[in-house]
């Protein structure tokens, strides 16, 4: 008999339910503390999993209670939200998405896992794979942006990075893909609100990143808080059990979100904790995070015959299975025993700096305002985010220490030792006080250049951070307008560094700034990275992974919308457009400038005739006609102009990159499988339809800037390969 079977045979009901329970823990002066419980619960086996406990000492202390003092000695599973770094913070996920570079995505996850494992952790509640097309939603900051293909690439890379080659290694973590699924479509961008979307959108936009995570072997998945068409995800048997488990074959652990099982009562689908526990268990949720519904409700449910012991055992087996894969039974102390070398830590900081440098998006750069000239004598750095080290890490930075974060001013002082740098906040990030504006304007007098550091605070995006007015908070507009006026009078160029967890709707700012940089939140090395870019030590190369609206009324706005029968570009009044603003975004998906200037030519598509199994080679020549070396990103979109179901105007299928010296020409090669051109037809099953598909290649999702080629898909009699999907997924 194997270890797990034997344990399950020996366990009491209370011990089993302990393995299905995850409770928040912390460390006080008196020692470890557990939310609503005492450490005795670990000794008795009533708690089998913890979240939020950090540090080798506390982890070892708690683990010892479980392993050495509980009856069966089952080790604890200890998890934390290691989302974009642990002690060393990398850019927030939306910013990291701007790299369009799976290798970098993998590397930062791998480094975060190493650092977190040194702190005794075995699990992270990441990656966040929520596709979002609505900047009102604060959690847009945590995800890959608007595109499902990007979400899938990110899922693969992050799972590989966190989990490494073996989960049993002392420096890997179990990943938990979240939040399953369609959370990014909450109504009107309001956190935790209902989601009601078509099954086609669900399958084409929101499920692909989770399919990718399962393919990559993700250890766990977390259902989202919200309901989908009336069925809360925590109780969604159709999507959790039938789709994830039965169709995709996901055999890992389903961990509820924080108190989500208990919240089934407020959703109005469970009368009490017992009913809530039954719904969640039946849907396939293995671990109850923070509701205590399983411990309180399942004994009653068992007695009433609402669940069986066999159903409980299935969940227990999965949890114990994960602990075994993590090597916790063999050596429960393997994580948290290693002290990293200073060189390993320094190398991680260098990675954080280079990734942050590449995550910035240069949205505008008129008159070559950036990079700043090397002969700068006086630089004026104004704004509430100019010297705000504590804001730099971004939304998920529970373990960031304030002294480890580099502000813009600190980075610039380091990067421009010969330049006199004057700085003032002018106003607070939020609040109504304008009294500091005059002093800030004084500083601007006679400056060679002005950097205006504006935006949201770190906590204005992330969870529970929806905004009905996603623009500059407080009195920042008043400050900016005053600075622009002073700068115009004195002919000083103004660069705006914009901090945010979402595209802010600030068309006026984009118009008035000479240069505009989306800095998002760049993590611990933010200031150094910003200094690298504005001084020209590095050319910016980030591309926005989300369409940048010019007006809030355009939201949701995304590049892959379907064509209208009355396109906006017609002159007719009766067209799909607004009376009061353009239908075009301020900046399209993929937009981002560099210090080079690239032209594209000579798009080649071979072969031009392919069957379903064929691979299509696509190449394009690029020339850097600018004066500086730079990296350029090219996007490969497809467009199926004629099909039984209207297809999006553009669909992203591949991304290529090249670095070129001034005057240099090079070729970007990309491969596309004809299989990837298939789409979901009328019956929602993948359908291969013969016909022409356009291949469009260029710097962003603005069609007028894309080179166009074509491929003809030939008919193929039988479908093979892809899983057939049947039945509506939204039923409970
Ligand atoms: C969030 C999750 C997170 C969990 C544990 C919840 O409020 O929605 O993303 O993993 O808390 O911290």
């Amino acid at each position: 008999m194997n270890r797990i079977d034997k344990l399950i045979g020996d366990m009491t009901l209370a011990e089993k339910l302990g393995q299905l329970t995850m409770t928040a823990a912390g460390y006080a002066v008196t020692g470890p503390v557990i939310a609503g419980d005492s450490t005795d619960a670990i000794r008795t086996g009533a708690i089998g999993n913890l979240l939020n406990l950090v540090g080798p000492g506390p982890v070892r202390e708690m683990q010892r209670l479980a392993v050495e003092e509980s009856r069966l000695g089952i080790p604890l599973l200890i998890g934390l939200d290691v989302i974009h770094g642990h002690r060393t913070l990398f850019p927030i996920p939306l910013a990291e998405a701007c790299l369009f570079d799976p290798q970098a995505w993998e590397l930062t996850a791998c480094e975060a896992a190493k650092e977190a494992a040194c702190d005794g952790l075995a699990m992270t509640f990441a990656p966040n794979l929520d596709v979002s097309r609505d900047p009102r939603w604060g959690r847009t900051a945590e995800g890959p942006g608007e595109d499902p293909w990007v979400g899938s690439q990110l899922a693969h890379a992050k799972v590989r990075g966190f989990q490494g080659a073996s989960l049993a290694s002392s420096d890997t973590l179990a990943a938990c893909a979240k939040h399953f699924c369609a959370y990014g479509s909450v109504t009107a961008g309001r956190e935790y609100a209902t989601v009601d979307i078509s099954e086609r959108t669900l399958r084409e936009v929101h499920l692909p990143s989770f399919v990718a995570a399962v393919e990559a072997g993700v250890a766990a998945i977390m259902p989202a808080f919200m309901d989908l068409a009336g069925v809360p995800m925590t109780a969604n048997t159709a999507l959790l059990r039938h789709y994830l488990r039965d169709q995709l074959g996901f055999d890992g652990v389903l961990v509820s979100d924080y108190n989500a099982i208990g919240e089934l009562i407020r959703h109005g689908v469970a009368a009490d904790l017992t009913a809530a526990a039954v719904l969640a268990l039946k849907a396939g949720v293995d671990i109850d995070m923070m509701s205590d519904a399983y411990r309180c409700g399942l004994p009653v449910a068992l007695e009433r015959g609402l669940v069986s012991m066999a159903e409980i055992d299935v969940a227990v087996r999965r949890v114990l299975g994960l602990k075994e894969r993590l090597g916790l039974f063999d050596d429960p102390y393997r994580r948290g025993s290693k002290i990293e070398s200073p060189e390993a830590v320094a190398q991680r900081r260098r990675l954080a700096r280079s990734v942050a440098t590449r995550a910035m998006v240069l949205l505008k750069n008129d008159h070559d305002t950036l990079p700043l000239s090397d002969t700068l004598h006086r630089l004026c750095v104004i704004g509430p985010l100019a010297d705000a080290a504590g804001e730099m890490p971004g939304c998920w930075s529970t373990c960031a220490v304030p002294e480890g974060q580099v502000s813009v001013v600190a980075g610039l002082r380091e990067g421009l030792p010969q330049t006199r740098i004057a700085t003032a906040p002018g106003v607070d990030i939020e609040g109504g006080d304008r009294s500091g504006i005059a002093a800030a304007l004084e500083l601007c007098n006679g400056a060679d250049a002005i950097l205006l550091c504006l935006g949201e605070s770190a906590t204005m995006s992330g969870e529970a951070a929806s905004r009905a007015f996603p623009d500059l908070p407080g009195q920042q507009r008043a400050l900016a307008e005053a600075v622009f006026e002073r700068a115009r009078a004195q002919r000083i160029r103004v660069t705006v560094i914009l901090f945010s967890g979402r595209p802010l709707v600030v068309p006026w700012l984009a118009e008035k700034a000479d240069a505009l940089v989306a800095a998002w939140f760049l993590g611990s090395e933010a200031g150094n990275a910003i200094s690298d870019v504005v001084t020209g030590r590095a050319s910016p190369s980030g591309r926005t992974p989300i369409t940048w609206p010019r007006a809030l009324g355009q939201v949701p706005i995304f590049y892959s919308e379907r064509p209208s029968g009355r396109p906006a570009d017609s002159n007719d009044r009766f067209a799909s457009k607004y009376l009061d603003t353009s239908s075009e975004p301020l900046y399209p998906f993929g937009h981002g400038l560099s210090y080079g200037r690239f032209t594209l030519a000579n798009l080649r598509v071979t072969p031009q005739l392919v069957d379903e199994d064929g691979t299509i080679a696509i190449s394009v020549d690029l020339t850097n006609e600018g004066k500086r070396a730079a990296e350029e990103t090219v996007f490969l979109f497809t467009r199926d102009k004629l099909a039984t179901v209207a297809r999006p105007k553009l669909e992203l299928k591949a991304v290529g990159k090249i670095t070129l010296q001034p005057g240099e020409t090079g070729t970007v090669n990309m491969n596309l499988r004809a299989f990837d051109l298939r789409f979901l037809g009328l019956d929602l099953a993948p359908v291969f339809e013969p016909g022409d598909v356009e291949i469009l290649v260029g710097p962003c999702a603005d069609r007028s800037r894309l080179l166009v080629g074509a491929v003809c898909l030939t008919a193929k009699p039988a479908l093979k390969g892809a899983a057939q999907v049947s039945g509506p997924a939204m039923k409970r």
Side-chain angles (χ1 to χ4, degrees), residues 51-52 81 83 125 128 139 142 178-179 183 192 222 225 257-258 289 396 463:
L51 77 149
N52 295 353
D81 295 278
I83 312 272
F125 307 116
N128 303 37
R139 300 197 94 162
E142 298 176 25
K178 69 188 191 186
H179 306 83
Y183 190 16
Y192 312 130
M222 181 185 285
F225 279 125
D257 205 342
Y258 203 101
M289 181 195 281
W396 278 108
E463 187 178 355

Side-chain angles (χ1 to χ4, degrees), residues 239-317:
L239 280 164
L240 300 183
R241 188 176 288 283
H242 300 154
Y243 180 74
L244 265 187
R245 296 252 192 248
D246 298 347
Q247 284 188 38
L248 296 188
F250 172 66
D251 196 30
V253 170
L254 280 169
V255 187
S256 87
D257 205 342
Y258 203 101
N259 195 37
I261 301 182
E263 288 168 20
L264 293 175
I265 300 172
R266 292 208 209 116
H267 274 286
V269 297
D272 52 26
L273 267 192
T274 301
V278 172
L279 283 176
L281 188 76
K282 294 251 178 215
V285 176
D286 304 303
I287 294 184
D288 170 359
M289 181 195 281
M290 292 307 288
S291 316
D292 224 359
Y294 280 1
R295 285 195 309 187
C296 299
L298 290 183
V300 187
L302 204 57
E303 220 174 84
R304 292 191 197 145
L306 300 172
V307 295
S308 67
M309 191 61 96
E311 284 170 314
I312 292 174
D313 286 351
V314 169
V316 174
R317 187 177 301 279

Side-chain angles (χ1 to χ4, degrees), residues 13 174 185 224 378 390 427 584 586:
L13 176 61
S185 284
R378 269 200 68 211
V427 296
E584 293 302 314
L586 189 60

Side-chain angles (χ1 to χ4, degrees), residues 422-441:
T423 184
V427 296
D428 291 335
I429 295 177
E430 292 179 89
D433 185 4
R434 296 185 182 202
S435 61
I437 295 181
L441 288 182

Side-chain angles (χ1 to χ4, degrees), residues 505 507 548-555 557 568 575-586:
V505 185
W548 202 293
R550 64 176 66 238
L552 188 58
Q554 294 180 314
V555 167
I557 180 170
S576 175
K577 57 190 181 190
Y578 299 101
L579 289 179
D580 46 8
T581 194
S582 152
S583 319
E584 293 302 314
L586 189 60

